């Protein structure tokens, strides 16, 4: 099943007390361009996330956003500088004895002295957190792929519908092409009759001229190739591997055959049909720009 290059996915989880959210969104791009945005303290997980992205996506501009809420993690600890506190208390006791002052120290008052209390952040377990973020990213990618598959199914249905239209237009060209030769022969006989009058018409000459004209405007090869291209395109969009770039090249071949038919046609009906044919091919080309 084909996938769209545009999509969105997200997942949440808890890793070592950290609330982590991973979001992905993508737009069309010729190649894979993945950008990961992480809080500075978690940059160690960037390459791991990119590897996960590359295992799911082959084309598209992908933005990955990772947010971390550590408010419930309990990763901050308060420590008492015992040596410094003892020094402060000894100094205060000395002042009190030396100058006859009251020793009115309280826990609150001594805790306010500079650097008695320090706040330290718990060291992160990079390996465990990286693995946890990777698992959450994997779930976000699965959600992302599910959306891309749904969009891809819509693209597939639209392309198949337009292929049916193209097939009908090719049938019209194949039906009208012999009529063009017959009409040319009729006009040729009429003109020769007007010029030669009763002298008679050389039937072999008319046959030869009609044969040359038929060879000049023959579109059998082009219509056969178009049908082959249509069969190949159906196989691609019903396959399981990313085929967006191959389809893009194939549509160029569609256009080449349509342009050749247009340059050969000597019939107004065929000319109008070719215009419709090229219009449908262009609509497919626009759609396949979204296919991975």
């Amino acid at each position: 099943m084909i996938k769209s290059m545009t999509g969105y996915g997200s997942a949440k989880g808890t890793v070592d007390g950290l609330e982590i959210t991973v979001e992905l969104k993508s737009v069309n791009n010729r190649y894979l361009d993945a950008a990961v945005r992480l809080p500075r303290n978690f940059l160690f997980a960037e390459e791991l996330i990119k590897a996960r992205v590359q295992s799911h996506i082959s084309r598209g501009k992908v933005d990955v956003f990772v947010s971390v809420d550590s408010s419930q993690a309990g990763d901050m600890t308060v420590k008492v500088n015992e040596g410094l506190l003892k020094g402060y208390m000894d100094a205060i006791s000395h002042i009190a004895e030396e100058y006859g002052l009251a020793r009115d120290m309280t826990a609150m008052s001594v805790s306010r002295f500079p650097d008695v209390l320090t706040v330290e952040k718990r060291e992160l377990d990079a390996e465990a957190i990286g693995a946890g973020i990777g698992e959450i990213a994997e779930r976000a990618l699965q959600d992302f792929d599910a959306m891309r598959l749904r969009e891809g199914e819509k693209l597939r249905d639209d392309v198949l519908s337009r292929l049916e239209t193209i097939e009908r237009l090719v049938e019209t060209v194949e039906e009208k092409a012999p009529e063009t030769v017959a009409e040319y022969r009729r006009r040729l006989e009429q003109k020769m009759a007007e010029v030669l009058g009763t002298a008679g018409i050389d039937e072999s000459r008319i046959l030869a001229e009609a044969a040359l004209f038929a060879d000049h405007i023959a579109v059998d090869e082009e219509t056969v190739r178009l049908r082959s291209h249509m069969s190949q395109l159906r196989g691609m969009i019903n396959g399981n591997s990313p085929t967006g770039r191959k389809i893009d090249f194939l549509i160029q071949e569609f256009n080449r055959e349509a342009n050749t038919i247009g340059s050969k046609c000597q019939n107004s009906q065929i000319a109008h049909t070719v215009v419709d044919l090229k219009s449908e091919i262009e609509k497919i080309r626009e759609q396949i720009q979204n296919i991975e």
Side-chain angles (χ1 to χ4, degrees), residues 241-279:
S241 59
T243 56
R245 293 182 68 187
K246 289 182 180 179
I247 293 176
D248 196 16
F249 292 133
L250 185 60
I251 290 299
Q252 293 179 33
E253 296 302 314
F254 271 74
N255 270 317
R256 185 173 290 109
E257 305 304 341
N259 287 333
T260 303
I261 292 171
S263 67
K264 285 184 173 183
C265 71
Q266 301 287 328
N267 178 294
S268 60
Q269 284 185 292
I270 294 179
H272 293 151
T273 301
V274 169
V275 170
D276 293 337
L277 178 63
K278 292 173 73 172
S279 175

mmCIF file of all heavy atoms in Angstrom, residues 241-279:
data_model
loop_
_atom_site.group_PDB
_atom_site.id
_atom_site.type_symbol
_atom_site.label_atom_id
_atom_site.label_comp_id
_atom_site.label_asym_id
_atom_site.label_seq_id
_atom_site.Cartn_x
_atom_site.Cartn_y
_atom_site.Cartn_z
ATOM 1 N N SER A 241 6.257 -1.295 -1.507
ATOM 2 C CA SER A 241 7.486 -0.521 -1.329
ATOM 3 C C SER A 241 7.285 0.916 -1.799
ATOM 4 O O SER A 241 6.424 1.185 -2.637
ATOM 5 C CB SER A 241 8.639 -1.168 -2.115
ATOM 6 O OG SER A 241 8.312 -1.228 -3.483
ATOM 7 N N PRO A 242 8.073 1.870 -1.242
ATOM 8 C CA PRO A 242 7.975 3.270 -1.690
ATOM 9 C C PRO A 242 8.304 3.387 -3.172
ATOM 10 O O PRO A 242 9.352 2.933 -3.625
ATOM 11 C CB PRO A 242 9.034 3.978 -0.828
ATOM 12 C CG PRO A 242 9.238 3.100 0.359
ATOM 13 C CD PRO A 242 9.049 1.696 -0.165
ATOM 14 N N THR A 243 7.404 3.983 -3.947
ATOM 15 C CA THR A 243 7.593 4.046 -5.400
ATOM 16 C C THR A 243 7.372 5.446 -5.963
ATOM 17 O O THR A 243 7.272 5.601 -7.178
ATOM 18 C CB THR A 243 6.622 3.080 -6.106
ATOM 19 O OG1 THR A 243 5.279 3.402 -5.698
ATOM 20 C CG2 THR A 243 6.914 1.639 -5.771
ATOM 21 N N GLY A 244 7.278 6.451 -5.098
ATOM 22 C CA GLY A 244 6.946 7.794 -5.560
ATOM 23 C C GLY A 244 7.865 8.310 -6.648
ATOM 24 O O GLY A 244 7.401 8.855 -7.659
ATOM 25 N N ARG A 245 9.167 8.129 -6.492
ATOM 26 C CA ARG A 245 10.117 8.649 -7.488
ATOM 27 C C ARG A 245 10.009 7.869 -8.794
ATOM 28 O O ARG A 245 10.100 8.447 -9.884
ATOM 29 C CB ARG A 245 11.535 8.573 -6.928
ATOM 30 C CG ARG A 245 11.771 9.517 -5.740
ATOM 31 C CD ARG A 245 13.178 9.450 -5.245
ATOM 32 N NE ARG A 245 14.109 9.996 -6.213
ATOM 33 C CZ ARG A 245 15.426 9.944 -6.085
ATOM 34 N NH1 ARG A 245 15.976 9.355 -5.038
ATOM 35 N NH2 ARG A 245 16.212 10.463 -7.004
ATOM 36 N N LYS A 246 9.802 6.546 -8.713
ATOM 37 C CA LYS A 246 9.649 5.744 -9.931
ATOM 38 C C LYS A 246 8.388 6.157 -10.684
ATOM 39 O O LYS A 246 8.392 6.260 -11.919
ATOM 40 C CB LYS A 246 9.582 4.258 -9.570
ATOM 41 C CG LYS A 246 10.899 3.667 -9.089
ATOM 42 C CD LYS A 246 10.740 2.187 -8.809
ATOM 43 C CE LYS A 246 12.056 1.578 -8.321
ATOM 44 N NZ LYS A 246 11.902 0.127 -8.019
ATOM 45 N N ILE A 247 7.316 6.394 -9.938
ATOM 46 C CA ILE A 247 6.067 6.821 -10.576
ATOM 47 C C ILE A 247 6.262 8.165 -11.258
ATOM 48 O O ILE A 247 5.735 8.405 -12.350
ATOM 49 C CB ILE A 247 4.927 6.886 -9.539
ATOM 50 C CG1 ILE A 247 4.603 5.483 -9.030
ATOM 51 C CG2 ILE A 247 3.681 7.520 -10.146
ATOM 52 C CD1 ILE A 247 3.559 5.453 -7.926
ATOM 53 N N ASP A 248 7.024 9.038 -10.624
ATOM 54 C CA ASP A 248 7.300 10.355 -11.213
ATOM 55 C C ASP A 248 7.975 10.196 -12.573
ATOM 56 O O ASP A 248 7.613 10.866 -13.548
ATOM 57 C CB ASP A 248 8.187 11.160 -10.257
ATOM 58 C CG ASP A 248 8.197 12.638 -10.601
ATOM 59 O OD1 ASP A 248 7.313 13.080 -11.355
ATOM 60 O OD2 ASP A 248 9.091 13.357 -10.128
ATOM 61 N N PHE A 249 8.954 9.302 -12.659
ATOM 62 C CA PHE A 249 9.636 9.056 -13.938
ATOM 63 C C PHE A 249 8.669 8.433 -14.958
ATOM 64 O O PHE A 249 8.695 8.774 -16.145
ATOM 65 C CB PHE A 249 10.836 8.123 -13.745
ATOM 66 C CG PHE A 249 11.966 8.743 -12.961
ATOM 67 C CD1 PHE A 249 12.579 8.052 -11.927
ATOM 68 C CD2 PHE A 249 12.407 10.025 -13.241
ATOM 69 C CE1 PHE A 249 13.621 8.621 -11.201
ATOM 70 C CE2 PHE A 249 13.440 10.606 -12.513
ATOM 71 C CZ PHE A 249 14.046 9.904 -11.498
ATOM 72 N N LEU A 250 7.807 7.531 -14.478
ATOM 73 C CA LEU A 250 6.868 6.868 -15.376
ATOM 74 C C LEU A 250 5.870 7.859 -15.967
ATOM 75 O O LEU A 250 5.529 7.777 -17.155
ATOM 76 C CB LEU A 250 6.133 5.761 -14.624
ATOM 77 C CG LEU A 250 5.193 4.883 -15.450
ATOM 78 C CD1 LEU A 250 5.958 4.163 -16.562
ATOM 79 C CD2 LEU A 250 4.496 3.859 -14.553
ATOM 80 N N ILE A 251 5.427 8.821 -15.162
ATOM 81 C CA ILE A 251 4.475 9.822 -15.650
ATOM 82 C C ILE A 251 5.112 10.682 -16.744
ATOM 83 O O ILE A 251 4.431 11.147 -17.665
ATOM 84 C CB ILE A 251 3.965 10.697 -14.489
ATOM 85 C CG1 ILE A 251 3.060 9.856 -13.582
ATOM 86 C CG2 ILE A 251 3.199 11.912 -14.983
ATOM 87 C CD1 ILE A 251 1.831 9.292 -14.269
ATOM 88 N N GLN A 252 6.411 10.880 -16.671
ATOM 89 C CA GLN A 252 7.095 11.593 -17.750
ATOM 90 C C GLN A 252 6.948 10.830 -19.069
ATOM 91 O O GLN A 252 6.811 11.442 -20.142
ATOM 92 C CB GLN A 252 8.565 11.766 -17.400
ATOM 93 C CG GLN A 252 8.812 12.702 -16.217
ATOM 94 C CD GLN A 252 10.295 12.823 -15.879
ATOM 95 O OE1 GLN A 252 11.152 12.763 -16.749
ATOM 96 N NE2 GLN A 252 10.601 12.980 -14.608
ATOM 97 N N GLU A 253 6.973 9.498 -18.997
ATOM 98 C CA GLU A 253 6.786 8.678 -20.196
ATOM 99 C C GLU A 253 5.346 8.791 -20.704
ATOM 100 O O GLU A 253 5.101 8.812 -21.913
ATOM 101 C CB GLU A 253 7.130 7.211 -19.896
ATOM 102 C CG GLU A 253 8.590 6.974 -19.531
ATOM 103 C CD GLU A 253 9.528 7.449 -20.631
ATOM 104 O OE1 GLU A 253 9.256 7.147 -21.814
ATOM 105 O OE2 GLU A 253 10.513 8.140 -20.317
ATOM 106 N N PHE A 254 4.388 8.856 -19.776
ATOM 107 C CA PHE A 254 2.992 9.100 -20.169
ATOM 108 C C PHE A 254 2.903 10.369 -21.009
ATOM 109 O O PHE A 254 2.285 10.402 -22.072
ATOM 110 C CB PHE A 254 2.115 9.276 -18.919
ATOM 111 C CG PHE A 254 1.537 8.010 -18.363
ATOM 112 C CD1 PHE A 254 2.328 7.104 -17.674
ATOM 113 C CD2 PHE A 254 0.193 7.730 -18.500
ATOM 114 C CE1 PHE A 254 1.800 5.952 -17.128
ATOM 115 C CE2 PHE A 254 -0.358 6.572 -17.968
ATOM 116 C CZ PHE A 254 0.450 5.676 -17.280
ATOM 117 N N ASN A 255 3.501 11.428 -20.499
ATOM 118 C CA ASN A 255 3.457 12.719 -21.199
ATOM 119 C C ASN A 255 4.122 12.645 -22.566
ATOM 120 O O ASN A 255 3.641 13.252 -23.534
ATOM 121 C CB ASN A 255 4.142 13.792 -20.348
ATOM 122 C CG ASN A 255 3.181 14.483 -19.402
ATOM 123 O OD1 ASN A 255 2.064 14.827 -19.785
ATOM 124 N ND2 ASN A 255 3.601 14.684 -18.166
ATOM 125 N N ARG A 256 5.219 11.904 -22.649
ATOM 126 C CA ARG A 256 5.940 11.803 -23.920
ATOM 127 C C ARG A 256 5.056 11.135 -24.980
ATOM 128 O O ARG A 256 4.978 11.602 -26.124
ATOM 129 C CB ARG A 256 7.230 11.013 -23.713
ATOM 130 C CG ARG A 256 8.120 10.941 -24.954
ATOM 131 C CD ARG A 256 9.454 10.303 -24.663
ATOM 132 N NE ARG A 256 10.291 11.177 -23.838
ATOM 133 C CZ ARG A 256 10.596 10.956 -22.554
ATOM 134 N NH1 ARG A 256 10.141 9.890 -21.943
ATOM 135 N NH2 ARG A 256 11.352 11.792 -21.884
ATOM 136 N N GLU A 257 4.380 10.064 -24.605
ATOM 137 C CA GLU A 257 3.511 9.372 -25.572
ATOM 138 C C GLU A 257 2.329 10.256 -25.968
ATOM 139 O O GLU A 257 1.954 10.310 -27.148
ATOM 140 C CB GLU A 257 2.993 8.058 -24.973
ATOM 141 C CG GLU A 257 4.070 7.092 -24.478
ATOM 142 C CD GLU A 257 5.082 6.716 -25.532
ATOM 143 O OE1 GLU A 257 4.797 6.887 -26.731
ATOM 144 O OE2 GLU A 257 6.188 6.248 -25.169
ATOM 145 N N ALA A 258 1.745 10.953 -24.994
ATOM 146 C CA ALA A 258 0.605 11.835 -25.291
ATOM 147 C C ALA A 258 1.018 12.960 -26.231
ATOM 148 O O ALA A 258 0.283 13.318 -27.160
ATOM 149 C CB ALA A 258 0.028 12.399 -23.998
ATOM 150 N N ASN A 259 2.196 13.525 -26.001
ATOM 151 C CA ASN A 259 2.678 14.606 -26.878
ATOM 152 C C ASN A 259 2.919 14.095 -28.302
ATOM 153 O O ASN A 259 2.635 14.808 -29.280
ATOM 154 C CB ASN A 259 3.974 15.197 -26.307
ATOM 155 C CG ASN A 259 3.727 16.048 -25.079
ATOM 156 O OD1 ASN A 259 2.652 16.616 -24.921
ATOM 157 N ND2 ASN A 259 4.715 16.130 -24.202
ATOM 158 N N THR A 260 3.431 12.877 -28.428
ATOM 159 C CA THR A 260 3.669 12.307 -29.756
ATOM 160 C C THR A 260 2.352 12.080 -30.491
ATOM 161 O O THR A 260 2.237 12.386 -31.679
ATOM 162 C CB THR A 260 4.437 10.974 -29.640
ATOM 163 O OG1 THR A 260 5.660 11.196 -28.934
ATOM 164 C CG2 THR A 260 4.758 10.424 -31.019
ATOM 165 N N ILE A 261 1.360 11.565 -29.779
ATOM 166 C CA ILE A 261 0.040 11.373 -30.389
ATOM 167 C C ILE A 261 -0.520 12.716 -30.840
ATOM 168 O O ILE A 261 -1.067 12.850 -31.941
ATOM 169 C CB ILE A 261 -0.923 10.694 -29.392
ATOM 170 C CG1 ILE A 261 -0.481 9.258 -29.117
ATOM 171 C CG2 ILE A 261 -2.358 10.706 -29.936
ATOM 172 C CD1 ILE A 261 -1.237 8.573 -27.999
ATOM 173 N N GLY A 262 -0.365 13.737 -30.001
ATOM 174 C CA GLY A 262 -0.859 15.063 -30.352
ATOM 175 C C GLY A 262 -0.187 15.631 -31.590
ATOM 176 O O GLY A 262 -0.830 16.298 -32.410
ATOM 177 N N SER A 263 1.113 15.379 -31.731
ATOM 178 C CA SER A 263 1.830 15.910 -32.902
ATOM 179 C C SER A 263 1.475 15.170 -34.186
ATOM 180 O O SER A 263 1.596 15.711 -35.282
ATOM 181 C CB SER A 263 3.341 15.835 -32.655
ATOM 182 O OG SER A 263 3.775 14.482 -32.590
ATOM 183 N N LYS A 264 1.015 13.912 -34.056
ATOM 184 C CA LYS A 264 0.683 13.121 -35.238
ATOM 185 C C LYS A 264 -0.768 13.278 -35.691
ATOM 186 O O LYS A 264 -1.082 13.029 -36.850
ATOM 187 C CB LYS A 264 0.944 11.632 -34.952
ATOM 188 C CG LYS A 264 2.409 11.233 -34.937
ATOM 189 C CD LYS A 264 2.537 9.734 -34.751
ATOM 190 C CE LYS A 264 3.975 9.267 -34.892
ATOM 191 N NZ LYS A 264 4.087 7.787 -34.778
ATOM 192 N N CYS A 265 -1.638 13.638 -34.757
ATOM 193 C CA CYS A 265 -3.061 13.594 -35.083
ATOM 194 C C CYS A 265 -3.427 14.620 -36.150
ATOM 195 O O CYS A 265 -2.931 15.733 -36.169
ATOM 196 C CB CYS A 265 -3.899 13.803 -33.820
ATOM 197 S SG CYS A 265 -3.864 15.478 -33.165
ATOM 198 N N GLN A 266 -4.301 14.191 -37.053
ATOM 199 C CA GLN A 266 -4.802 15.053 -38.118
ATOM 200 C C GLN A 266 -6.324 15.145 -38.035
ATOM 201 O O GLN A 266 -6.988 15.408 -39.020
ATOM 202 C CB GLN A 266 -4.398 14.475 -39.479
ATOM 203 C CG GLN A 266 -2.905 14.331 -39.679
ATOM 204 C CD GLN A 266 -2.226 15.660 -39.886
ATOM 205 O OE1 GLN A 266 -2.817 16.581 -40.456
ATOM 206 N NE2 GLN A 266 -1.000 15.790 -39.412
ATOM 207 N N ASN A 267 -6.833 14.903 -36.835
ATOM 208 C CA ASN A 267 -8.274 14.834 -36.641
ATOM 209 C C ASN A 267 -8.636 15.699 -35.442
ATOM 210 O O ASN A 267 -8.014 15.585 -34.389
ATOM 211 C CB ASN A 267 -8.668 13.367 -36.406
ATOM 212 C CG ASN A 267 -10.147 13.185 -36.152
ATOM 213 O OD1 ASN A 267 -10.663 13.642 -35.146
ATOM 214 N ND2 ASN A 267 -10.821 12.500 -37.070
ATOM 215 N N SER A 268 -9.648 16.560 -35.613
ATOM 216 C CA SER A 268 -10.005 17.482 -34.534
ATOM 217 C C SER A 268 -10.503 16.748 -33.294
ATOM 218 O O SER A 268 -10.219 17.149 -32.160
ATOM 219 C CB SER A 268 -11.075 18.475 -35.008
ATOM 220 O OG SER A 268 -12.255 17.788 -35.416
ATOM 221 N N GLN A 269 -11.228 15.640 -33.509
ATOM 222 C CA GLN A 269 -11.714 14.865 -32.371
ATOM 223 C C GLN A 269 -10.551 14.255 -31.584
ATOM 224 O O GLN A 269 -10.555 14.255 -30.351
ATOM 225 C CB GLN A 269 -12.660 13.766 -32.843
ATOM 226 C CG GLN A 269 -14.052 14.270 -33.214
ATOM 227 C CD GLN A 269 -14.978 13.116 -33.546
ATOM 228 O OE1 GLN A 269 -14.808 12.434 -34.547
ATOM 229 N NE2 GLN A 269 -15.972 12.907 -32.709
ATOM 230 N N ILE A 270 -9.567 13.732 -32.319
ATOM 231 C CA ILE A 270 -8.390 13.169 -31.641
ATOM 232 C C ILE A 270 -7.637 14.271 -30.913
ATOM 233 O O ILE A 270 -7.154 14.073 -29.785
ATOM 234 C CB ILE A 270 -7.467 12.453 -32.651
ATOM 235 C CG1 ILE A 270 -8.166 11.231 -33.232
ATOM 236 C CG2 ILE A 270 -6.165 12.036 -31.979
ATOM 237 C CD1 ILE A 270 -7.343 10.469 -34.245
ATOM 238 N N ALA A 271 -7.556 15.450 -31.537
ATOM 239 C CA ALA A 271 -6.861 16.575 -30.896
ATOM 240 C C ALA A 271 -7.530 16.929 -29.572
ATOM 241 O O ALA A 271 -6.844 17.160 -28.557
ATOM 242 C CB ALA A 271 -6.852 17.778 -31.828
ATOM 243 N N HIS A 272 -8.862 16.967 -29.560
ATOM 244 C CA HIS A 272 -9.576 17.258 -28.313
ATOM 245 C C HIS A 272 -9.368 16.152 -27.293
ATOM 246 O O HIS A 272 -9.224 16.411 -26.094
ATOM 247 C CB HIS A 272 -11.070 17.433 -28.600
ATOM 248 C CG HIS A 272 -11.389 18.651 -29.409
ATOM 249 N ND1 HIS A 272 -12.479 18.729 -30.244
ATOM 250 C CD2 HIS A 272 -10.742 19.840 -29.532
ATOM 251 C CE1 HIS A 272 -12.510 19.912 -30.832
ATOM 252 N NE2 HIS A 272 -11.451 20.602 -30.416
ATOM 253 N N THR A 273 -9.345 14.927 -27.769
ATOM 254 C CA THR A 273 -9.126 13.787 -26.870
ATOM 255 C C THR A 273 -7.733 13.854 -26.243
ATOM 256 O O THR A 273 -7.560 13.560 -25.050
ATOM 257 C CB THR A 273 -9.281 12.458 -27.637
ATOM 258 O OG1 THR A 273 -10.588 12.402 -28.195
ATOM 259 C CG2 THR A 273 -9.080 11.272 -26.717
ATOM 260 N N VAL A 274 -6.739 14.240 -27.037
ATOM 261 C CA VAL A 274 -5.372 14.349 -26.521
ATOM 262 C C VAL A 274 -5.279 15.437 -25.447
ATOM 263 O O VAL A 274 -4.571 15.278 -24.455
ATOM 264 C CB VAL A 274 -4.372 14.631 -27.666
ATOM 265 C CG1 VAL A 274 -3.000 15.006 -27.116
ATOM 266 C CG2 VAL A 274 -4.247 13.413 -28.573
ATOM 267 N N VAL A 275 -6.012 16.525 -25.631
ATOM 268 C CA VAL A 275 -6.039 17.582 -24.613
ATOM 269 C C VAL A 275 -6.572 17.013 -23.295
ATOM 270 O O VAL A 275 -6.005 17.242 -22.214
ATOM 271 C CB VAL A 275 -6.902 18.775 -25.070
ATOM 272 C CG1 VAL A 275 -7.121 19.756 -23.913
ATOM 273 C CG2 VAL A 275 -6.238 19.492 -26.240
ATOM 274 N N ASP A 276 -7.675 16.255 -23.382
ATOM 275 C CA ASP A 276 -8.239 15.630 -22.178
ATOM 276 C C ASP A 276 -7.262 14.618 -21.582
ATOM 277 O O ASP A 276 -7.123 14.518 -20.355
ATOM 278 C CB ASP A 276 -9.553 14.926 -22.518
ATOM 279 C CG ASP A 276 -10.648 15.906 -22.903
ATOM 280 O OD1 ASP A 276 -10.556 17.088 -22.503
ATOM 281 O OD2 ASP A 276 -11.600 15.494 -23.608
ATOM 282 N N LEU A 277 -6.588 13.885 -22.454
ATOM 283 C CA LEU A 277 -5.615 12.888 -22.015
ATOM 284 C C LEU A 277 -4.483 13.550 -21.230
ATOM 285 O O LEU A 277 -4.116 13.109 -20.126
ATOM 286 C CB LEU A 277 -5.064 12.144 -23.231
ATOM 287 C CG LEU A 277 -3.980 11.082 -23.000
ATOM 288 C CD1 LEU A 277 -4.515 9.961 -22.153
ATOM 289 C CD2 LEU A 277 -3.481 10.546 -24.338
ATOM 290 N N LYS A 278 -3.938 14.618 -21.764
ATOM 291 C CA LYS A 278 -2.839 15.326 -21.095
ATOM 292 C C LYS A 278 -3.305 15.954 -19.784
ATOM 293 O O LYS A 278 -2.544 16.038 -18.812
ATOM 294 C CB LYS A 278 -2.258 16.383 -22.039
ATOM 295 C CG LYS A 278 -1.542 15.770 -23.243
ATOM 296 C CD LYS A 278 -1.119 16.806 -24.262
ATOM 297 C CE LYS A 278 0.039 17.618 -23.789
ATOM 298 N NZ LYS A 278 0.565 18.502 -24.854
ATOM 299 N N SER A 279 -4.565 16.397 -19.754
ATOM 300 C CA SER A 279 -5.107 16.972 -18.519
ATOM 301 C C SER A 279 -5.154 15.921 -17.410
ATOM 302 O O SER A 279 -4.777 16.202 -16.266
ATOM 303 C CB SER A 279 -6.514 17.530 -18.776
ATOM 304 O OG SER A 279 -7.100 17.989 -17.581
#
